[in-house]
Amino acid sequence: MDGSTTPTSAPVLILLGPPGAGKGTQARMLEERFGLVQLSTGDLLRAAVANGTDAGKQAKAVMEAGDLVSDDIVIAILRDRLTDADCVRGVILDGFPRTTVQAEALDTLLAENGQRINAAISLDVDDAAMVDRISGRFTCGTCGEGYHDSFKAPKTQGQCDKCQGTDFRRRADDTAETVAARLDAYHAQTAPLIAFYDAQGALARVDAMGAIDDIALELGAIVTTATA
Ligand SMILES: [Zn+2]
């Protein structure tokens, strides 16, 4: 937090994946296994504002004015955060960079620190299967039990297995149309970043449609290789 630029070779990973790809779950597993710290843009901003750092004060003023925090401020906050002791074993960036301009600024920052992007890992999904998976979800409004049209329908149609309740709920933003739109927006935003890191030779792709443990194994192997 003192703004010093202690050179460090701590690994930097980027995790890319659409909503529903299990990014949060996988990031937590990587934190536990490798001692990495997950840094999400929202958390970074909140912490910097709460700690009252110079960049945090700038971010607070911008947000209070209802504006978006600039790339320069986010980079300044990240610069401070990367020098914190808990980041010594490496970090997983989540939600940053979102654009190739941000990715270039990040490369410059990391170069100052003697760091680099060790791997940008894309959790790849099958869009049609994701739409089925997410849009089929519903829950019992009485006991909260989760169900799915295709994978876990109630044994008696219209009645909860657990509490015999008949009041089922679906999230309004889990319809096939909204899920498809979220995926389209994700691909549109992420495609340039995928190309950027592919050109650097830093891109790794993981099939995120399989079992959580299988995905974790594959990710672990990628991280082990990328940080060796
Ligand atoms: Zn129930």
Side-chain angles (χ1 to χ4, degrees), residues 140-145 147 160-165 168:
C140 171
T142 308
C143 74
E145 181 72 0
Y147 291 97
C160 176
D161 297 346
K162 286 238 161 127
C163 74
Q164 281 72 55
F168 291 106

Side-chain angles (χ1 to χ4, degrees), residues 8-9 30 39-40 120 133-134 143 148 155 159 205 207:
T8 162
S9 58
L30 291 177
L39 301 179
S40 79
R133 189 188 276 189
I134 298 177
C143 74
H148 193 282
K155 292 191 178 70
Q159 191 180 80
R205 289 179 175 279
D207 177 359

Side-chain angles (χ1 to χ4, degrees), residues 1-224:
M1 288 296 169
D2 59 4
S4 68
T5 51
T6 314
T8 162
S9 58
V12 179
L13 303 162
I14 295 171
L15 204 49
L16 302 165
K23 201 165 55 151
T25 304
Q26 295 299 338
R28 276 192 297 282
M29 292 170 112
L30 291 177
E31 286 187 309
E32 283 171 24
R33 179 166 167 200
F34 294 95
L36 302 167
V37 175
Q38 185 184 5
L39 301 179
S40 79
T41 316
D43 292 344
L44 280 171
L45 284 170
R46 276 187 290 278
V49 169
N51 293 334
T53 63
D54 289 345
K57 285 176 191 159
Q58 290 178 46
K60 184 166 186 251
V62 172
M63 289 190 286
E64 281 175 356
D67 292 325
L68 285 174
V69 179
S70 69
D71 291 353
D72 287 349
I73 294 176
V74 176
I75 285 283
I77 289 171
L78 191 56
R79 177 180 284 117
D80 288 344
R81 186 70 182 86
L82 288 173
T83 61
D84 288 349
D86 64 332
C87 294
V88 70
R89 292 183 64 188
V91 299
I92 307 166
L93 298 179
D94 174 12
F96 190 89
R98 283 194 191 280
T99 64
T100 50
V101 171
Q102 291 177 347
E104 282 164 1
L106 177 61
D107 278 351
T108 304
L109 162 62
L110 294 177
E112 289 168 17
N113 284 354
Q115 290 173 287
R116 64 188 171 87
I117 301 295
N118 294 74
I121 305 169
S122 169
L123 296 179
D124 289 343
V125 301
D126 175 329
D127 284 14
M130 282 292 286
V131 169
D132 284 348
R133 189 188 276 189
I134 298 177
S135 65
R137 297 189 298 204
F138 60 100
T139 55
C140 171
T142 308
C143 74
E145 181 72 0
Y147 291 97
H148 193 282
D149 291 324
S150 309
F151 311 125
K152 190 189 168 193
K155 292 191 178 70
T156 305
Q157 194 190 346
Q159 191 180 80
C160 176
D161 297 346
K162 286 238 161 127
C163 74
Q164 281 72 55
T166 55
D167 173 28
F168 291 106
R169 310 233 165 120
R170 283 173 196 269
R171 284 176 42 156
D173 58 352
D174 277 355
T175 65
E177 291 75 19
T178 53
V179 175
R182 283 207 297 268
L183 286 167
D184 286 348
Y186 170 79
H187 291 306
Q189 185 179 57
T190 313
L193 280 179
I194 301 247
F196 181 88
Y197 289 114
D198 196 17
Q200 282 194 359
L203 183 70
R205 289 179 175 279
V206 173
D207 177 359
M209 298 307 289
I212 287 175
D213 290 346
D214 294 339
I215 299 164
L217 271 180
E218 206 176 327
L219 268 177
I222 290 168
V223 172
T224 300

